Amino acid sequence: MSAPERATQAEIAARVKAIESIMIEKGLMTTEAVDRLAEIYENEVGPQLGAKVVAKAWSDPDFKKRLLANASTACAELGIGGLQGEDMVAVEDTDDVHHVIVCTLCSCYPWPVLGLPPNWYKMPQYRAAMVRSPRRVLREEFGYDVPESVEIRVWDSSSELRYWVLPQRPAGTDGLSEDELAALVTRDSMIGVGPTKAPA
Amino acid sequence: MNGIHDLGGRDGMGAINPTPEEPVWKAEWEKHAHTLFPLAFRAGFFGVDQFRFGMEQIEPIEYLSSTYYEHWVHSVIHHGVRHNQLDPAEIEKRTQYYLENPDAPLPEGKDPDGELTAFIDWAVANGVAAGRDTGKKPKFSVGDRVTVVADAPKGHTRKAGYIRGKTGVIDLAHGEMIYPDTAGNDRGEAPEHVYTVRFTNEELWGAEEAEPNGSITFDVWEPYIVPATS
């Protein structure tokens, strides 16, 4: 069996343009719509929104309760939500359990709080290994050592529920404002593959 | 289907090599490919489950060696052709043209009132919820021990290979949602209750191979599970 010829970037770009040109002629698409979507995911929707939610949860125990009870309605209080986050569930890291998200069947990811997924999240390597050897993957691939006393719980996003991680508040952050706390929240900490930042 | 997309637990796939930072789009065409998804959805090419099934039918070697947005483009073509919205010969002809004339402009847009751009804003802000409430009573509750049915449907399903026949405990109950095994196979929404089932690593991979102190949760629709007998 011979491998099918790999399409080059130029060929793929031409194919997308071909489809787009047909869609445009049918009145189903415009380049303005493309520009608007790009603007949204480049500048408006990204992990800075999830960081804001996490910082609020760290600062406001009542909000945290609402977030853990229903992440989509809690995020909506901050004007955050929408496509690929219609039914979000925030899972809280504790001293006993560390959470990680994956989608083994495709690439489901909570866009409204994390933005579009990084490339590695969508690749077969991550999707295959994260359920099989999460502790090894975190240690060897992400340099993130989770002590054996801590359970690693991997959330395979197989339905339209969109899981993401509420990381533990870093030590030494008493008295920090929500904005200062948000700056310590990393995208990877909300996927579960990395730590939060330590306070300066 | 027992397709190549069903990757959970496959060994030997190679290193992940995560990059700390990367641009949202690796190439200009990716923005356009991404926008095809909401607009082809708007045009009635597919629902999200059908869109996924379109990707699952990509030839396995191509699936593994092509990128995420190439999968999307494949599914848009698959469904566009199915619904007579896209003509494969026309796509080939225009692809050749744009390959030879990469700077040739796209046709003039026909959206004087900006409805398509407004749809993008609306869709991103509101999403398309899969939850439904038909009033059907759930058969299972949080805390129940359940076993995943070990069949092998040939159409679209979210019943991944690695959980079939495995037993776990229901951790969360989410109410009724669109059933992918009907919706993805052109048989309508037929909502079913969705539960999050937690499996131990030992249950999934065996005591010899399982990493210690770990579990996996997987969301199942009610027809995927039966009460555990052991």
Side-chain angles (χ1 to χ4, degrees):
Chain A
M1 187 175 176
S2 66
E5 214 172 294
R6 267 306 266 116
T8 64
Q9 284 285 304
E11 282 163 348
I12 300 157
R15 185 166 304 272
V16 170
K17 217 166 168 181
I19 301 164
E20 186 171 355
S21 71
I22 297 170
M23 299 277 284
I24 288 173
E25 284 171 10
K26 287 175 178 281
L28 301 175
M29 189 162 175
T30 56
T31 54
E32 287 80 6
V34 176
D35 292 341
R36 178 63 194 129
L37 184 130
E39 171 69 16
I40 290 171
Y41 288 110
E42 282 170 14
N43 297 318
E44 298 172 17
V45 175
Q48 74 280 3
L49 298 183
K52 194 171 145 182
V53 178
V54 168
K56 187 167 176 66
W58 285 344
S59 310
D60 177 345
D62 288 335
F63 178 77
K64 181 171 142 181
K65 262 186 217 158
R66 296 198 295 280
L67 179 70
L68 295 175
N70 185 328
S72 288
T73 54
C75 287
E77 295 175 27
L78 306 179
I80 294 166
L83 193 61
Q84 289 299 309
E86 295 88 346
D87 293 283
M88 293 189 284
V89 177
V91 289
E92 184 188 17
D93 275 357
T94 66
D95 289 341
D96 299 321
V97 186
H98 173 69
H99 302 278
V100 190
I101 60 165
V102 65
C103 172
T104 62
L105 292 169
C106 43
S107 307
C108 298
Y109 190 75
W111 295 359
V113 285
L114 296 188
L116 300 180
N119 208 46
W120 54 259
Y121 184 88
K122 303 178 281 193
M123 295 298 286
Q125 292 81 353
Y126 181 79
R127 289 163 51 193
M130 189 41 91
V131 290
R132 174 82 155 142
S133 316
R135 203 173 287 276
R136 181 193 65 74
V137 166
L138 289 179
R139 187 178 58 239
E140 293 178 11
E141 298 263 12
F142 290 90
Y144 188 39
D145 217 348
V146 179
E148 287 222 349
S149 59
V150 177
E151 176 187 340
I152 297 180
R153 190 171 300 169
V154 179
W155 295 76
D156 190 346
S157 312
S158 57
S159 76
E160 298 306 329
L161 277 304
R162 291 291 170 270
Y163 300 96
W164 54 279
V165 182
L166 173 61
Q168 285 187 289
R169 180 171 173 155
T173 54
D174 288 355
L176 292 193
S177 70
E178 281 184 30
D179 283 349
E180 288 165 330
L181 288 169
L184 306 178
V185 181
T186 61
R187 178 199 67 193
D188 285 1
S189 70
M190 294 182 282
I191 301 174
V193 298
T196 52
K197 291 180 195 161
Chain B
M1 61 183 280
N2 286 339
I4 193 66
H5 69 285
D6 187 359
L7 285 160
R10 279 179 202 268
D11 294 322
M13 299 299 297
I16 298 164
N17 294 325
T19 44
E21 294 292 333
E22 62 186 17
V24 176
W25 322 99
K26 291 194 308 302
E28 175 66 22
W29 68 264
E30 290 192 345
K31 294 178 198 180
H32 298 255
H34 189 122
T35 311
L36 278 170
F37 167 66
L39 293 182
F41 169 85
R42 177 181 177 274
F45 284 30
F46 45 69
V48 67
D49 295 297
Q50 292 163 317
F51 183 66
R52 291 194 184 113
F53 191 38
M55 292 191 280
E56 290 162 9
Q57 294 172 74
I58 297 171
E59 195 276 328
I61 295 172
E62 186 188 337
Y63 186 95
L64 290 176
S65 59
S66 58
T67 63
Y68 177 71
Y69 283 116
E70 288 175 74
H71 296 177
W72 283 31
V73 171
H74 181 103
S75 193
V76 167
I77 295 173
H78 173 86
H79 290 290
V81 169
R82 217 161 71 94
H83 292 291
N84 293 319
Q85 292 276 12
L86 299 174
D87 170 17
E90 186 66 22
I91 294 174
E92 288 314 312
K93 195 180 96 187
R94 294 191 189 208
T95 299
Q96 202 53 42
Y97 172 75
Y98 282 119
L99 197 51
E100 286 161 16
N101 305 280
D103 297 324
L106 284 160
E108 196 67 28
K110 297 180 202 164
D111 183 26
D113 301 325
E115 284 179 25
L116 296 169
T117 311
F119 177 79
I120 295 293
D121 273 306
W122 176 86
V124 169
N126 295 283
V128 183
R132 297 290 184 269
D133 185 6
T134 71
K136 193 159 56 174
K137 287 217 161 51
K139 287 185 189 155
F140 300 95
S141 316
V142 169
D144 286 356
R145 274 172 60 77
V146 296
T147 300
V148 179
V149 176
D151 59 359
K154 281 190 173 149
H156 178 65
T157 183
R158 299 293 278 180
K159 194 191 296 166
Y162 80 95
I163 55 142
R164 293 180 194 166
K166 304 298 184 183
T167 296
V169 176
I170 295 181
D171 261 6
L172 301 168
H174 303 285
E176 295 170 85
M177 301 183 107
I178 296 172
Y179 187 39
D181 298 50
T182 52
N185 296 313
D186 304 336
R187 297 204 309 271
E189 294 190 348
E192 295 284 357
H193 280 275
V194 174
Y195 308 92
T196 300
V197 180
R198 182 159 43 93
F199 304 90
T200 62
N201 287 355
E202 289 76 11
E203 170 70 7
L204 296 178
W205 316 118
E208 289 276 305
E209 292 293 336
E211 285 187 347
N213 203 12
S215 59
I216 313 282
T217 75
F218 193 97
D219 295 344
V220 297
W221 283 259
E222 200 165 85
Y224 289 9
I225 50 174
V226 293
T229 52
S230 57

